[in-house]
């Protein structure tokens, strides 16, 4: 158990729909990163939030957006879903204040777009 | 850009040793991580190297050579539960860049 929880665990959506995924970070962690992991691939960085601001972004289109709340929990929103968005979405929390090295991952949300 | 390479698959016998190599070319370096990921589950932290040399942690050891852009994860006394995907990841300024993962199958 890492203390990072994601919801929902599984989700099926139709192409063109919108989805919101949620992540509660580990207590005391101020940074949340989101990753997309397609089947048989390593996780790909989507973006990171630190103190409610986007702190860096990977090579994902603007229809991938996010939020971080004052309690450091976070949401990932994906608009106009495409079939290729089907993947495991991972949230990782860390504490940048200590120059901390380790990121703790949640169990992920398995998104299927049909 | 980021380029992280590791073998796709490895098979070994229970009780044996397996070494998973990882080579990387990245624009920034703030450490190299190894994660274990069982099918359908989240990655779990195994090891972290930021300086050259060997880090040992029980049955798992990890080695780093920054000048060569090279790391390996050594799994000793393999157990059936070690069958999983092993991910090599490099930390840049703020993100982790992952390799595609090495699937290790442990056979009885």
């Amino acid at each position: 158990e890492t203390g990072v929880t994601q919801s929902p665990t599984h989700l099926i959506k139709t192409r063109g729909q919108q989805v919101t995924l949620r992540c509660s970070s580990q207590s005391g962690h101020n940074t949340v990163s989101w990753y997309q992991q397609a089947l048989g691939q390593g996780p790909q960085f989507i973006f990171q939030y630190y103190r409610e601001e986007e702190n860096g972004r990977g090579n994902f289109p603007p229809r991938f957006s996010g939020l971080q709340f004052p309690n450091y929990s976070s949401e990932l929103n994906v608009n106009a879903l495409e079939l290729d968005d089907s993947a495991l979405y991972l949230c990782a929390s860390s504490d940048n204040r200590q120059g901390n090295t380790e990121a703790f991952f949640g169990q992920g949300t398995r998104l299927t777009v049909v | 850009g980021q380029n992280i390479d590791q073998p796709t698959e490895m098979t070994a016998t229970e009780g044996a040793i397996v070494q998973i190599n990882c080579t990387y070319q990245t624009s920034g370096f703030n450490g190299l991580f190894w994660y274990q990921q069982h099918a359908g589950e989240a990655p779990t932290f195994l090891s972290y190297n930021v300086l050259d040399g060997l880090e040992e942690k029980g049955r798992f050891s990890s080695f780093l050579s920054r000048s060569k852009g090279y790391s390996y994860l050594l799994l000793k006394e393999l157990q059936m539960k070690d069958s999983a995907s092993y991910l090599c990841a490099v930390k840049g300024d703020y993100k982790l860049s992952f390799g595609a993962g090495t699937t290790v199958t442990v056979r009885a």
Side-chain angles (χ1 to χ4, degrees):
Chain A
E1 291 291 327
T2 63
V4 181
T5 57
Q6 293 185 240
S7 62
T9 54
H10 295 83
L11 197 55
I12 299 174
K13 288 286 191 178
T14 304
R15 190 171 47 183
Q17 284 188 313
Q18 178 266 342
V19 69
T20 297
L21 310 181
R22 295 178 175 83
C23 171
S24 294
S25 57
Q26 186 175 95
S27 177
H29 283 186
N30 56 12
T31 302
V32 173
S33 303
W34 286 92
Y35 293 82
Q36 180 195 66
Q37 187 176 23
L39 203 59
Q41 300 296 317
Q44 298 295 312
F45 177 76
I46 303 175
F47 43 56
Q48 180 182 91
Y49 279 83
Y50 171 65
R51 291 187 172 182
E52 303 176 57
E53 299 273 339
E54 188 177 289
N55 189 42
R57 189 177 182 92
N59 189 26
F60 281 80
R63 58 190 185 83
F64 286 77
S65 63
L67 283 174
Q68 187 180 33
F69 300 98
N71 66 355
Y72 302 134
S73 65
S74 177
E75 286 183 356
L76 164 66
N77 299 289
V78 187
N79 293 322
L81 282 167
E82 300 176 0
L83 297 180
D84 285 350
D85 296 333
S86 295
L88 180 68
Y89 288 84
L90 295 163
C91 161
S93 79
S94 57
D95 183 358
N96 282 356
R97 286 171 293 190
Q98 300 174 354
N100 194 294
T101 56
E102 186 176 346
F104 294 86
F105 284 87
Q107 82 280 15
T109 294
R110 172 72 63 187
L111 173 65
T112 303
V113 183
V114 298
Chain B
Q2 320 289 352
N3 190 26
I4 300 169
D5 290 317
Q6 51 182 127
T8 305
E9 294 181 343
M10 301 183 76
T11 301
T13 305
E14 197 174 12
I17 298 173
V18 70
Q19 178 175 314
I20 306 170
N21 296 324
C22 172
T23 58
Y24 64 90
Q25 292 176 306
T26 58
S27 55
F29 185 84
N30 283 298
L32 188 142
F33 292 78
W34 285 95
Y35 284 86
Q36 180 191 62
Q37 187 176 28
H38 285 99
E41 298 181 9
T44 55
F45 171 80
L46 289 178
S47 69
Y48 169 71
N49 295 70
V50 67
L51 300 176
D52 289 353
L54 187 67
E55 293 284 338
E56 297 188 84
K57 206 173 184 181
R59 294 189 298 115
F60 296 170
S61 303
S62 58
F63 172 83
L64 175 67
S65 169
R66 288 171 297 171
S67 62
K68 295 182 179 178
Y70 168 70
S71 172
Y72 68 72
L73 178 69
L74 196 68
L75 286 63
K76 294 177 265 189
E77 300 169 18
L78 279 172
Q79 302 175 9
M80 300 299 289
K81 67 178 181 179
D82 297 329
S83 292
S85 178
Y86 291 84
L87 299 162
C88 171
V90 173
K91 184 169 184 179
D93 289 338
Y94 51 84
K95 68 177 184 179
L96 289 172
S97 296
F98 285 84
T102 299
T103 300
V104 171
T105 302
V106 181
R107 293 184 173 167

